[in-house]
Amino acid sequence: MAGIYIHIPFCRSRCIYCGFYSTTALELRQHYVDAVCREVEMRGRRKEELPRITTVYLGGGTPSQLTIVQLSQVFDAVYKYNKVDADAEVTIEVNPDDVTPEFAHGLASLPVNRVSMGVQTFDDERLRWLHRRHTSQQVAQAVARLRAAGIGNVSIDLMYGFPNESIDTWDYDITRGLALQPEHISAYCLMIEEGTPLHRMSIQPVDEELERQMYYHLIDRLEAAGFEHYEISNFARPGFRSRHNSSYWNQTPYIGIGAAAHSYDLLTRSWNVSDIARYIEGIEHGERIFDFETLDADTRYNDLVATALRTCEGIDLGTLSPTHRDYCSKSARRFISDGLLQLCGSRLALTRRGLFVSDMVMAELMKV
């Protein structure tokens, strides 16, 4: 089994916090779509040797900046040159202001059965500060339009840890998000990544103790509302976990299509050039411009720690080699004693306290 990720790097404007590869050169959209379809064809020539595709994910950037005709072109290529399961999870990321009634019905005419919407906050002043294009009112309109079109699986992204934010204002965002009755919620603390406009603004990160309180308040509110906390930043109603994102955490291979997209086949990791012009030019000449690395046993172990430990199931120590199992078990002892990790049978998982300091715990379990 495998998933396909297709990177759509176009944005009408850039958000101040975003560190993903993107471009505002919207005039290149059709050239890029043609190149993406060509790459899909190039990498799917021997269809009989390809794995079953169980998930397809269009991320960005802003995939909803493509037209329905362009999206249809992409999906036609994906389904023509891959063995996509009939019940595959097919996700597209959208901005709320792109979801017109016509666009929503257009999505429903495609293989799309899951929509992930970048909401971030319901505070219009904060949305403007982030350079988001939508308003809080447009979020509710977009969800209603998707429901009317028959999209039965909607995920929203929320963000916390803004300058001068309080528990009360964060609770307001959670309440507004729950009122939309989404099937899935992802929530992230505002990160100040180097190279972003936010980094250049010299904004101070939120106080660590307040961030901790916000995170635990999020968990409490969503679990009380019936959501499963199945990954550090992800919550789902029963049966609605993101199957595609879960593939990153459970070591399922994935194929990355488009500029800056990554691929992983358990033994190697590769990534396409992060330059849309070079990407298009290479594909037009029948060449995929990419770099790759071969993963040794220690790197694969470290990858497992950094992914599987993010999930509520944790790491199955029984699947590790004797050397790595012994190393992981010994490294975990003090965290088990400190109440940051728990061992249930052969599974090692983060506790509630351990979730907030997960990066530190993972780093100590990795081999250097």
Side-chain angles (χ1 to χ4, degrees):
M1 298 185 296
I4 290 181
Y5 173 82
I6 301 174
H7 190 59
I8 308 297
F10 299 103
C11 292
R12 195 182 305 168
S13 60
R14 287 196 181 95
C15 303
I16 62 172
Y17 57 86
C18 184
F20 293 115
Y21 175 71
S22 64
T23 178
T24 56
L26 302 183
E27 69 276 5
L28 294 177
R29 282 178 289 187
Q30 188 57 54
H31 292 295
Y32 184 77
V33 166
D34 293 341
V36 161
C37 294
R38 177 63 175 144
E39 185 188 355
V40 170
E41 179 183 1
M42 288 164 55
R43 300 179 69 178
R45 283 175 177 162
R46 301 180 68 85
K47 185 174 180 178
E48 68 279 0
E49 298 178 3
L50 292 176
R52 285 173 42 225
I53 300 300
T54 56
T55 64
V56 180
Y57 194 105
L58 272 66
T62 315
S64 54
Q65 281 291 289
L66 297 186
T67 67
I68 294 299
V69 172
Q70 289 168 333
L71 290 170
S72 180
Q73 182 182 343
V74 170
F75 283 118
D76 285 348
V78 168
Y79 278 76
K80 180 178 181 180
Y81 296 107
N82 292 277
K83 296 184 292 187
V84 183
D85 279 4
D87 64 344
E89 177 193 86
V90 182
T91 304
I92 183 172
E93 294 180 351
V94 303
N95 268 23
D97 55 314
D98 289 331
V99 184
T100 63
E102 295 76 18
F103 189 82
H105 284 282
L107 289 182
S109 71
L110 301 173
V112 171
N113 51 36
R114 183 174 184 272
V115 171
S116 178
M117 185 181 302
V119 174
Q120 316 315 350
T121 177
F122 292 89
D123 184 310
D124 286 333
E125 185 176 340
R126 286 202 177 102
L127 287 171
R128 287 190 294 271
W129 180 73
L130 290 171
H131 288 197
R132 298 292 294 177
R133 292 185 284 112
H134 69 276
T135 65
S136 57
Q137 183 180 8
Q138 288 175 313
V139 174
Q141 291 174 338
V143 172
R145 289 165 180 171
L146 291 170
R147 298 300 195 196
I151 302 293
N153 190 351
V154 175
S155 175
I156 63 171
D157 288 355
L158 295 177
M159 187 175 286
Y160 61 96
F162 294 102
N164 303 315
E165 188 176 19
S166 66
I167 290 290
D168 287 342
T169 55
W170 174 222
D171 184 72
Y172 173 79
D173 275 350
I174 297 172
T175 298
R176 289 285 300 272
L178 287 172
L180 298 173
Q181 299 186 316
E183 283 67 36
H184 188 281
I185 295 177
S186 300
Y188 308 94
C189 186
L190 178 66
M191 301 297 292
I192 303 175
E193 295 192 39
E194 191 171 348
T196 63
L198 184 61
H199 183 262
R200 294 191 289 273
M201 293 166 63
S202 300
I203 297 297
Q204 290 297 314
V206 66
D207 175 77
E208 184 175 314
E209 181 54 34
L210 179 57
E211 179 187 340
R212 186 196 308 268
Q213 292 174 16
M214 288 179 169
Y215 182 58
Y216 289 146
H217 186 69
L218 167 75
I219 295 172
D220 292 341
R221 285 292 315 271
L222 296 193
E223 287 185 342
F227 284 77
E228 298 177 320
H229 186 196
Y230 72 101
E231 191 270 346
I232 289 173
S233 302
N234 286 272
F235 304 78
R237 296 195 183 280
F240 287 96
R241 295 185 183 188
S242 169
R243 288 163 52 191
H244 183 84
N245 288 342
S246 294
S247 70
Y248 299 143
W249 306 319
N250 64 22
Q251 302 292 292
T252 299
Y254 51 87
I255 301 162
I257 303 291
H262 285 232
S263 301
Y264 172 70
D265 65 3
L266 303 183
L267 299 178
T268 62
R269 183 183 293 110
S270 65
W271 50 96
N272 288 350
V273 62
S274 298
D275 182 313
I276 191 169
R278 288 189 63 204
Y279 169 78
I280 293 173
E281 182 180 7
I283 296 296
E284 286 178 345
H285 288 87
E287 177 188 7
R288 175 183 167 229
I289 303 174
F290 68 98
D291 288 317
F292 76 98
E293 63 176 332
T294 300
L295 309 176
D296 60 24
D298 283 349
T299 302
R300 293 198 299 273
Y301 163 75
N302 288 344
D303 283 351
L304 180 67
V305 170
T307 52
L309 203 58
R310 295 185 63 87
T311 67
C312 61
E313 289 81 11
I315 300 171
D316 184 352
L317 298 178
T319 64
L320 302 179
S321 68
T323 300
H324 288 126
R325 182 167 59 249
D326 183 61
Y327 179 86
C328 188
S329 298
K330 288 181 179 178
S331 301
R333 285 174 186 167
R334 69 182 177 96
F335 295 116
I336 295 174
S337 297
D338 292 342
L340 302 179
L341 286 172
Q342 57 189 343
L343 186 61
C344 301
S346 66
R347 288 199 169 272
L348 183 69
L350 291 163
T351 64
R352 176 184 168 101
R353 285 183 53 224
L355 288 170
F356 186 75
V357 291
S358 57
D359 286 347
M360 180 273 291
V361 175
M362 291 174 189
E364 292 297 319
L365 296 186
M366 291 181 183
K367 296 201 72 173
V368 294

